[in-house]
Amino acid sequence: MARKRLKSFATMLLAMAVITASAIVSGGQASAAATPVKGFYVNGTTLYDATGKPFVMRGVNHAHTWFKNDLAAAIPAIAATGANTVRIVLSDGGQWTRDDVASVQNIIALCDQYNLITMLEVHDATGSDSASTLNRAVDYWISIKDALIGKEDRVIVNIANEWFGSWSSDGWASGYQAAIPALRNAGIKNTLVVDAAGWGQYPNSIFEKGLAVASTDPLKNMIFSIHMYEYAGGDAATVKSNIDNALALNIPVIIGEFGHKHSSGDVDEATILSYTQQKGVGWLAWSWYGNGGGVEYLDLATGPAGSLTDWGKTVVNSTYGTLATSQLSGIYTTPGYQPVPDNGNTPVPTVPAAPTGLTAAAGNGQAVLSWNASSGATSYAVKRAAVSGGPYTTIASNVAATSYTDTGLTNGNTYYYVVSAANSAGTSSHSTQASVTPQGTPVPSSSLVLQYRAGDTNSSDNQIKPYFNIKNNGTSPVNLSSLKLRYYFTKDGNQTMNAWIDWAQVGSSNIQTAFGSVSGTNADTYVELSFTAAAGSIAPGGQTGDIQLRISKADWSNFNENNDYSFDATKTSYTDWNKVTLYNNGDLVWGIEP
């Protein structure tokens, strides 16, 4: 029988008495594990990944331990939402079937394959005030530490889901003050997550005792988690004050779970999404599918690889959803990244290297710049000159993305650009210069916007994987059957080309592919996507969601995408991209043809 999860907040409210947890006893030792690597680390209220880039979680919870056979279907579908993190429900055997070390290694490997950071949590201690249940979770982590050590750059450990159901701080704090050192003494260096007391909904425990708990971590590598349902997230004022008060401790906080409503009231999910974006706070929506016991409305999807529910569409497609705000960890977007062994020291940021691969594409009165990410960079500055070699004038600073569009230029004039990278340690030297002469070809003006992200950032393998999302910013619906989009590339040979739609929110069977020839800069071929009537329409303010295209040659030989007009390996989350074109009833409405 499938397990069902129901948060019993009636029980929580009855359990208001303070129950002091007893000390945690260390568990047994696991066999020798892999060498630790430098992984996620904390500095102030920011969580950094192993490349030194700030990492803001955007993702979902997946109730794996109750649906152990669905992992292979669920993880690719979750990745297709643009999520950068998935929080996985595990069992230590206390209430449900134990997830052993081999199964956890399999989970991590599959998430890694789909560029998802894995947050693991033990669910058996949910709502319990007993130190023995927290002790059992600690023992569990120590018993499977071979799956954790050496994966510090891609695995985060949420010690125990919603341990300590009472709305009090002392017992909660004393429990974790024993649990954290036990994990560290066992050699577990992964970033740790501690849920608030009161079934995750009593953030006062963090405000009152958070610093005392954090002081017990010798690595200073932990974050707090608030679960925002009807009590911790019921209205805008509550959402904002809970986030602000937690950040005031100068320790990162995430919203480890949240819904749009719950058993005892509404949740202000709109403020959770918008305010976390404003504050750079991570979140993980509950949950992918499989809820029962009266909270089925919390399902984000209709099954492990099912279509999105209305709740799922909010989390994925809304203004502050995963497609719009999620950024993959730098370990998946930094060319040539290799895990670095941990020498036992906390990583200290160094001045980033100068950006490489700066390109400039001409538009009508504008220049579209893009460059490769610099390891450790937190922002970029763009500089422009009227003559080659400068002097340069800064035209944009604190640019978070690896692209920038310079507008208001004069067609026919040549402009020269360099970019520098910066972080808390300083600013890099300039990149190699790129020049561009804006052209008079008009850029289409339309309510339709075509977004792109690179599903595969490897520029020299045997497949091209461009992903697309079409947005309708107009006031009228647009039939998808009237639209066609084109992606331009060099096919690097004379082989027959093949194309597949691996997944699409509008239905892969409702999208057709065709190839054509073109003569232009960095392009000799395009692939055209068109839609059947069954694909439906894009509502005003709506979007298609993920469209995942894959291209290969008949002989599966390699491409060289570095010279492809539409390819940009730095765009790992959806970005407006005018090097892919969109047509409505045959008229160009978005993008610049090569």
Side-chain angles (χ1 to χ4, degrees):
M1 181 180 70
R3 298 287 180 181
K4 297 181 178 180
R5 178 187 189 279
L6 173 61
K7 287 179 170 289
S8 177
F9 285 105
T11 302
M12 175 188 68
L13 292 175
L14 290 173
M16 297 293 285
V18 175
I19 302 177
T20 303
S22 59
I24 304 297
V25 180
S26 299
Q29 297 296 312
S31 59
T35 301
V37 300
K38 291 183 178 179
F40 284 103
Y41 64 96
V42 166
N43 187 358
T45 60
T46 302
L47 176 68
Y48 291 89
D49 67 23
T51 69
K53 297 177 183 176
F55 182 72
V56 181
M57 297 179 202
R58 291 285 182 266
V60 305
N61 288 264
H62 172 50
H64 165 75
T65 204
W66 306 313
F67 306 102
K68 296 185 191 294
N69 296 325
D70 293 344
L71 193 73
I75 294 304
I78 291 170
T81 68
N84 60 25
T85 309
V86 58
R87 182 172 179 256
I88 299 287
V89 175
L90 299 179
S91 173
D92 60 18
Q95 294 194 57
W96 303 285
T97 303
R98 186 179 187 274
D99 295 285
D100 61 19
V101 64
S103 66
V104 174
Q105 289 170 329
N106 179 61
I107 292 168
I108 295 169
L110 186 60
C111 293
D112 195 24
Q113 178 184 341
Y114 285 92
N115 296 350
L116 287 167
I117 295 302
T118 309
M119 181 187 294
L120 303 172
E121 61 103 333
V122 166
H123 216 78
D124 306 70
T126 301
S128 171
D129 287 357
S130 171
S132 64
T133 59
L134 183 58
N135 178 51
R136 190 176 61 225
V138 170
D139 287 346
Y140 173 75
W141 294 123
I142 295 172
S143 74
I144 66 159
K145 70 178 183 179
D146 283 357
L148 310 176
I149 297 175
K151 300 293 184 183
E152 293 86 354
D153 60 346
R154 63 204 67 204
V155 177
I156 293 171
V157 175
N158 191 171
I159 301 174
N161 179 72
E162 298 178 1
W163 179 76
F164 212 79
S166 292
W167 281 41
S168 63
S169 303
D170 290 340
W172 169 85
S174 64
Y176 280 112
Q177 284 173 305
I180 292 169
L183 294 170
R184 296 307 191 205
N185 290 338
I188 295 173
K189 295 186 175 183
N190 307 70
T191 299
L192 300 177
V193 179
V194 172
D195 291 354
W199 298 69
Q201 286 215 78
Y202 185 61
N204 278 15
S205 56
I206 297 172
F207 312 153
E208 295 167 359
K209 295 290 184 178
L211 291 177
V213 170
S215 68
T216 63
D217 182 6
L219 301 183
K220 307 303 179 188
N221 189 20
M222 61 157 293
I223 62 183
F224 289 111
S225 174
I226 302 171
H227 291 185
M228 287 193 170
Y229 294 99
E230 62 268 59
Y231 303 112
D235 56 62
T238 301
V239 169
K240 292 179 179 181
S241 65
N242 282 339
I243 290 173
D244 290 343
N245 289 336
L247 292 175
L249 300 178
N250 201 34
I251 296 171
V253 64
I254 62 169
I255 312 306
E257 292 183 18
F258 71 105
H260 58 301
K261 57 181 178 179
H262 205 261
S263 305
S264 299
D266 191 27
V267 181
D268 190 347
E269 73 279 7
T271 298
I272 293 172
L273 291 169
S274 63
Y275 201 62
T276 52
Q277 182 66 15
Q278 178 182 336
K279 293 292 187 177
V281 168
W283 53 255
L284 300 155
W286 185 275
S287 71
W288 189 234
Y289 73 98
N291 288 281
V295 293
E296 291 84 356
Y297 49 76
L298 289 175
D299 284 354
L300 294 158
T302 57
S307 58
L308 294 176
T309 63
D310 287 344
W311 171 222
K313 291 175 183 177
T314 296
V315 168
V316 175
N317 295 331
S318 65
T319 301
Y320 301 104
T322 50
L323 287 177
T325 66
S326 178
Q327 299 282 338
L328 294 181
S329 167
I331 71 170
Y332 299 122
T333 61
T334 302
Y337 169 79
Q338 292 293 331
V340 178
D342 183 6
N343 60 10
N345 297 324
T346 300
V348 177
T350 57
V351 176
T356 61
L358 176 63
T359 61
N364 182 29
Q366 65 180 21
V368 181
L369 310 175
S370 63
W371 56 89
N372 297 327
S374 294
S375 179
T378 57
S379 66
Y380 300 90
V382 179
K383 301 179 181 181
R384 183 182 68 205
V387 296
S388 180
Y392 300 101
T393 300
T394 300
I395 59 172
S397 57
N398 295 319
V399 177
T402 54
S403 61
Y404 179 78
T405 300
D406 187 18
T407 59
L409 305 179
T410 301
N411 289 331
N413 287 354
T414 300
Y415 298 86
Y416 303 87
Y417 296 90
V418 292
V419 177
S420 59
N423 62 16
S424 59
T427 301
S428 76
S429 57
H430 290 160
S431 68
T432 301
Q433 178 182 273
S435 63
V436 65
T437 304
Q439 59 190 10
T441 303
V443 178
S445 177
S446 168
S447 61
L448 294 172
V449 174
L450 182 53
Q451 295 186 318
Y452 157 83
R453 68 182 176 102
D456 179 0
T457 59
N458 187 339
S459 62
S460 59
D461 59 8
N462 61 7
Q463 296 182 80
I464 300 174
K465 294 182 180 179
Y467 294 174
F468 309 106
N469 178 45
I470 305 172
K471 300 176 69 175
N472 178 11
N473 291 333
T475 58
S476 301
V478 176
N479 290 326
L480 281 166
S481 60
S482 68
L483 302 182
K484 293 183 178 180
L485 69 85
R486 290 180 179 179
Y487 178 91
Y488 301 90
F489 62 100
T490 56
K491 63 180 183 179
D492 304 312
N494 298 313
Q495 287 292 320
T496 302
M497 305 299 300
N498 296 315
W500 301 267
I501 302 296
D502 285 334
W503 191 87
Q505 190 171 318
V506 299
S508 57
S509 62
N510 297 325
I511 303 176
Q512 301 163 331
T513 62
F515 290 96
S517 299
V518 66
S519 178
T521 304
N522 293 332
D524 57 28
T525 307
Y526 65 81
V527 59
E528 181 177 85
L529 273 58
S530 58
F531 301 85
T532 67
S537 62
I538 314 176
Q543 54 193 342
T544 61
D546 234 14
I547 300 171
Q548 298 188 1
L549 172 67
R550 178 163 52 94
I551 306 167
S552 75
K553 303 178 190 180
D555 66 350
W556 292 95
S557 59
N558 287 345
F559 292 96
N560 175 16
E561 294 182 73
N562 288 317
N563 62 347
D564 286 359
Y565 180 78
S566 297
F567 175 69
D568 188 343
T570 68
K571 290 179 170 49
T572 55
S573 61
Y574 276 117
T575 306
D576 299 353
W577 188 228
N578 63 11
K579 289 191 174 183
V580 183
T581 54
L582 183 67
Y583 305 82
N584 190 357
N585 291 319
D587 295 328
L588 180 64
V589 295
W590 175 270
I592 301 173
E593 295 173 336

